[in-house]
Amino acid sequence: MGTRTGMEVSAAISEAVKLARAEIIAAYPITPQTHIVEELARMVADGELYAEFIMVESEHSAMSACVGAAAVGARSFTATAAQGLALMHEMLYIASGLRLPIVMVVVNRAMSAPISIWGDHSDIMAERDSGWIQLFAETGQEAFDLTIQAFKIAEDQRVSLPVVVNIDGFTLSHVIEPLVVESQEDVDKFLPPFKPVIQLDPDKPITIGAVGFPELYTEIKKQQNVALVESYKVIIEVWKQFREQFGREYHPIETYRSEDAEILIHIAGSTAGTARVAVDMLREKGEKVGLIRTRLWRPYPFGDIRKTVAKAKAIAAVDRCLSFGGPGGPMCSELKAALYNLDQRPFIAGFIAGLGGRDIMIEDFFTIVEETKRLLEEGQEDEYRMIGVRE
Amino acid sequence: MRNKKPGWKEYPIAAVIDKPGSATYQNTGDWKTLRPLRDDSKCDKCGFCWIICPDAALLIDEDGYYEVDLYHCKGCGICAHECKKGAIKMIPEEH
């Protein structure tokens, strides 16, 4: 039986990692990730969690240590943010290329310069193509649940890939929420011990990460991509098992009042909470507005997206990241790419909001919906617009 | 006719090499443009070339000489450069 309690979301993630019986935690502190690893370090020091906490000199080393640990068959966890994630960059590709099921929480934060410790999605979007399974949480409960599910998804022998759980810096990581912390017994039932597909073992020597000549590399990348695409089925399976055991339901795309909506707001992360309130207020005024939230970002849920937006007239795609000199927000671009070849597709208006911790208010969503309606009638002027930017 | 190369499903996951020592099957000998030639009248079988060869491409023959394994020797010339007796010289590889 789970216990309902009030808890900081970072602490809830640490609790989830403990309940998942992580064996190796290698991390370097960076705001706003610190509370997660501080709490884990305390748990290990106090003997609450039987694990090795490896204090490293950088995030590059943190991910390297996780790669080594996962390669010998240890359940490995790390957490980071922004520049820390960027410093891990090359090791992220090694982790996915070697098919090592590491779990990482990224507490999303803006990339410097100028230095910003506050939330947006520019850190993870730079790692979009690194071959990791990528999930976005909206609430503390979801962050707790996804962290436990991440180990099960990553370690499934059909998948064997690393997983990143994204949570918004401060607006999710540092808030206290009521949530259900599941019991050790129940989590053990859900998450079996880690049985690696690839394992370094002195009794059965193998070589991992050897040179891949041009005649081999393409085939190995195809193999890796198929594994990532097909992990979709396993993710759905894991969510089904989770619902059966714990009662909470998860889908690649979450919807709110979207059934008969003419305009859909698309967003990822904790801002969906504000968007939901805006949708309710607009609905009271008789506006047919709904919300879709991307939880599963990689593998991209093409089918779910196409089905969800099929009847809408327009989508207001809100990104907390700017692709400089490009077509706008990365999520908006992919939404467009997913729908472009369809005979009937909704009009898509792109918006950039909430950069570097700028709050996205209910009123901002009113503006976004108004703008979308206007652009739908008058036609697109620019590729995208930035919300709340001062002239 | 060319041998059919394996498809992506036929490779081990993440290109793991599960046979230890498989690098010995790799013909690195065809990379070289120069090959070492030993002068037996100068060689005193000290074995220094055997110690310093970065590719372990020297083997001891029946008479105690250090014979070059031309299948693996890349022709780097370190043995010729370091031989105290000047017993090794590099000559153009015959292709």
Side-chain angles (χ1 to χ4, degrees), chain A residues 64-137:
Chain A
S64 302
C66 285
V67 163
V72 297
R75 186 168 280 166
S76 310
F77 177 83
T78 189
T80 191
Q83 316 303 117
L85 182 64
L87 189 50
M88 280 183 185
H89 177 71
E90 63 162 319
M91 298 315 296
L92 298 179
Y93 283 73
I94 305 261
S96 61
L98 293 180
R99 306 287 299 278
L100 298 171
I102 297 157
V103 171
M104 168 164 68
V105 169
V106 172
V107 186
N108 299 121
R109 162 182 155 178
M111 292 297 292
S112 302
I115 294 172
S116 169
I117 59 166
W118 298 275
D120 75 23
H121 295 161
S122 53
D123 54 1
I124 191 61
M125 289 306 162
E127 308 306 339
R128 185 190 64 180
D129 298 337
S130 60
W132 286 53
I133 292 171
Q134 304 187 12
L135 302 157
F136 279 88

Side-chain angles (χ1 to χ4, degrees), chain B:
Chain B
M1 214 179 88
R2 285 170 68 195
N3 288 335
K4 194 181 171 292
K5 289 177 182 169
W8 64 271
K9 287 180 191 169
E10 294 163 78
Y11 284 106
I13 181 171
V16 163
I17 299 166
D18 54 7
K19 287 179 191 67
S22 61
T24 52
Y25 303 115
Q26 186 80 20
N27 180 11
T28 51
D30 65 354
W31 300 3
K32 62 178 166 295
T33 55
L34 297 172
R35 67 155 76 193
L37 181 69
R38 188 183 67 243
D39 181 348
D40 287 357
S41 67
K42 289 182 184 168
C43 174
D44 66 355
K45 307 177 187 177
C46 73
F48 195 60
C49 55
W50 178 79
I51 294 169
I52 59 164
C53 175
D55 276 305
L58 285 147
L59 310 162
I60 306 174
D61 72 7
E62 289 164 1
D63 302 320
Y65 286 111
Y66 292 89
E67 201 62 56
V68 182
D69 165 10
L70 291 170
Y71 189 77
H72 294 115
C73 171
K74 294 169 184 161
C76 70
I78 292 175
C79 55
H81 188 265
E82 295 299 327
C83 178
K84 305 299 175 215
K85 299 284 179 184
I88 304 172
K89 66 172 178 179
M90 302 302 288
I91 60 162
E93 172 71 333
E94 299 148 15
H95 281 287

